[in-house]
Amino acid sequence: MALSLASVLSKSEDVVGSDHSSVVSINLFVALLCACIIIGHLLEENRWMNESITALAIGLCTGVVILLTSGGKSSRLLVFSEDLFFIYLLPPIIFNAGFQVKKKQFFRNFMTIVLFGAVGTLISTGVISIGAMHFFKKMNIGSLDIGDYLAIGAIFSATDSVCTLQVLNQDETPLLYSLVFGEGVVNDATSVVFFNAIQSFDLSHINSSVAMQFFGNFLNLFVSSTILGVLAGLLSAYIIKKLYFGRHSTDREVALMILMAYLSYMLAELFYLSAILTVFFCGIVMSHYTWHNVTESSRVTTRHAFATLSFVAEIFIFLYVGMDALDIEKWKFVSHSPRTSVGVSAILLGLVLVGRAAFVFPLSFLSNLTKKSSYEKIDIKQQVTIWWAGLMRGAVSMALAYNQFTISGHTQLRGSAIMITSTITVVLFSTVVRHYLICV
């Protein structure tokens, strides 16, 4: 009895210690988020810095400090989880993007956006997958199968729509903004859907029927996800209009809009649909119907609430990516062959450039054939801008890479470690270098 009581007390102490450690980590992370906002505000007029670069820099500095204080054991306050990213951080960013979009420009160029975001992403995925298979087999980086190479294509075809939007101004370049913005959202959805399809299909026996089933499911996911988002938005508008919550409390209106938007996202996850597409179209419908049925005070509150949630989520992602870049566990696997790691990163960057060019210019030509007026056509300078604007890789690529190449939060194989570290390198390089090239 005494022994069992002692063991219970010991376990209780472990749990309390673990909880205390988590509280300390969360406090430090929140303090870092505050620091990012304050420093970002102070550097707002500095063209060499923005919120994302500031958060990355603070994350890297924090990682160095943790490495030094922990004796080189860890650089992270929190363990990265793709569930944390996809369930809590991504929804407010994508929803706010749909909620704030200028719908007239977006739907005027809808077919071109879908062409770039869906067809273009598949072309880019194919180019990157084939290129990776060709080069990596010669480099002997580890055991990668056909599913891994297809996953690599999906991972590095996912653009960073958060950083991309910082390049263009919605009022000064409405056509370019709507194309780049719309493509970024559809691109992320396509990459995630394709990635999930790769994991769910047996790729060891590919034939025509499997390919047809694959693309049939792919199309069904797109249509079903869009319909679910539209229905969720319309339902929220109907409920708020009929019940008129504003006569008693604007808080109820705002709460219902936030919860209905998040419910649409989680329902899409529940039914294995594209939650990104669902919450994006839910945001568009809510901004067009639901928003006009609430009181004036609720309109102001919702716009600021959604924008604030999106802003904090974006900073959180970049702060974590910067911190995670120095995680010693991943780098020790590639420390014996740094040339291989650098070579893999360089090849992936080159494939990203080629893969994007492989669809932007041909699909722009096809899109121009359907446009009658010259101002609706995409000229060569705009095509180059679209190609360049979508070269950033970010949190979606990171999350997918972790999903594919880690087991229980750990990187245990050399090939997997090289792919994780190469993804981090590509994300940091494409984000920082491209930003400074734009400033120059």
Side-chain angles (χ1 to χ4, degrees):
M1 181 67 182
L3 181 62
S4 62
L5 181 59
S7 65
V8 169
L9 290 173
S10 176
K11 290 180 180 179
S12 300
E13 289 175 1
D14 290 340
V15 171
V16 171
S18 176
D19 288 344
H20 180 71
S21 177
S22 298
V23 171
V24 171
S25 297
I26 292 171
N27 272 280
L28 288 173
F29 215 96
V30 172
L32 289 173
L33 286 172
C34 293
C36 289
I37 294 172
I38 294 169
I39 296 173
H41 172 72
L42 295 174
L43 298 175
E44 187 174 9
E45 296 183 2
N46 188 328
R47 66 174 185 156
W48 299 102
M49 297 294 288
N50 58 23
E51 280 90 358
S52 59
I53 302 297
T54 302
L56 280 172
I58 291 175
L60 287 169
C61 292
T62 305
V64 171
V65 172
I66 297 174
L67 273 176
L68 294 175
T69 55
S70 66
K73 294 180 180 180
S74 175
S75 69
R76 295 179 292 180
L77 295 175
L78 300 173
V79 177
F80 184 88
S81 167
E82 59 268 17
D83 290 337
L84 170 68
F85 172 72
F86 282 110
I87 296 178
Y88 300 108
L89 299 178
L90 191 60
I93 296 173
I94 300 300
F95 176 81
N96 185 63
F99 196 77
Q100 304 288 352
V101 69
K102 290 189 175 181
K103 296 175 285 297
K104 186 176 180 180
Q105 275 290 337
F106 178 81
F107 286 106
R108 179 183 293 172
N109 301 293
F110 185 73
M111 292 308 299
T112 305
I113 288 170
V114 172
L115 197 64
F116 283 168
V119 178
T121 302
L122 294 178
I123 293 173
S124 177
T125 300
V127 170
I128 295 172
S129 297
I130 294 170
M133 192 180 302
H134 174 74
F135 289 107
F136 292 170
K137 283 186 176 180
K138 296 180 180 180
M139 298 176 69
N140 189 30
I141 66 170
S143 57
L144 299 176
D145 56 28
I146 182 66
D148 290 324
Y149 287 115
L150 288 173
I152 289 170
I155 289 166
F156 289 96
S157 293
T159 63
D160 188 346
S161 55
V162 175
C163 278
T164 297
L165 298 183
Q166 297 175 359
V167 179
L168 303 170
N169 185 285
Q170 189 168 194
D171 297 318
E172 294 176 2
T173 55
L175 174 62
L176 274 178
Y177 187 93
S178 65
L179 289 176
V180 173
F181 163 76
E183 183 225 327
V185 176
V186 178
N187 166 282
D188 286 346
T190 305
S191 300
V192 173
V193 171
F194 190 81
F195 181 85
N196 291 336
I198 291 168
Q199 292 189 321
S200 61
F201 271 78
D202 180 12
L203 299 173
S204 58
H205 303 90
I206 300 177
N207 52 45
S208 58
S209 62
V210 172
M212 290 296 293
Q213 183 183 357
F214 180 89
F215 285 105
N217 289 348
F218 188 82
L219 182 62
N220 178 57
L221 279 174
F222 256 84
V223 175
S224 302
S225 303
T226 302
I227 291 174
L228 177 59
V230 171
L231 290 176
L234 291 175
L235 180 61
S236 68
Y238 178 80
I239 292 173
I240 287 177
K241 184 178 180 179
K242 288 296 182 183
L243 298 182
Y244 189 45
F245 287 97
R247 64 187 172 187
H248 296 300
S249 171
T250 58
D251 296 341
R252 294 175 184 173
E253 289 182 320
V254 176
L256 186 63
M257 288 183 69
I258 294 174
L259 292 173
M260 286 289 288
Y262 192 65
L263 178 63
S264 72
Y265 187 91
M266 295 310 298
L267 282 174
E269 286 287 330
L270 179 65
F271 295 114
Y272 302 101
L273 302 176
S274 172
I276 295 175
L277 269 183
T278 296
V279 78
F280 174 67
F281 278 99
C282 180
I284 291 178
V285 173
M286 278 192 174
S287 69
H288 191 68
Y289 293 104
T290 311
W291 192 73
H292 293 286
N293 288 321
V294 299
T295 59
E296 186 62 34
S297 58
S298 292
R299 292 178 190 176
V300 176
T301 304
T302 50
R303 281 207 178 275
H304 287 293
F306 295 141
T308 301
L309 289 171
S310 175
F311 176 71
V312 172
E314 290 171 19
I315 294 178
F316 186 101
I317 290 169
F318 284 109
L319 178 64
Y320 189 88
V321 169
M323 213 182 304
D324 192 65
L326 295 176
D327 179 29
I328 203 69
E329 180 186 327
K330 295 186 284 290
W331 292 102
K332 69 181 181 182
F333 281 90
V334 299
S335 60
H336 300 296
S337 53
R339 288 186 179 180
T340 302
S341 181
V342 172
V344 169
S345 300
I347 288 170
L348 288 171
L349 280 168
L351 290 174
V352 167
L353 290 168
V354 175
R356 188 152 183 83
F359 77 83
V360 169
F361 301 107
L363 294 184
S364 294
F365 174 77
L366 291 177
S367 176
N368 288 340
L369 293 178
T370 64
K371 304 292 176 64
K372 296 180 179 179
S373 56
S374 58
Y375 74 89
E376 291 182 339
K377 294 185 178 182
I378 311 169
D379 61 40
I380 188 63
K381 289 184 179 180
Q382 291 174 326
Q383 292 176 32
V384 172
T385 302
I386 293 170
W387 169 74
W388 182 252
L391 292 177
M392 279 191 184
R393 298 297 176 265
V396 174
S397 295
M398 289 283 293
L400 295 180
Y402 272 96
N403 188 297
Q404 180 70 21
F405 296 109
T406 61
I407 301 172
S408 301
H410 298 284
T411 307
Q412 299 176 340
L413 300 175
R414 180 173 175 271
S416 298
I418 289 175
M419 292 314 306
I420 293 290
T421 54
S422 297
T423 304
I424 294 171
T425 303
V426 170
V427 168
L428 292 177
F429 185 87
S430 63
T431 302
V432 176
V433 174
R434 199 196 69 158
H435 173 73
Y436 287 127
L437 287 176
I438 290 170
C439 291
V440 173

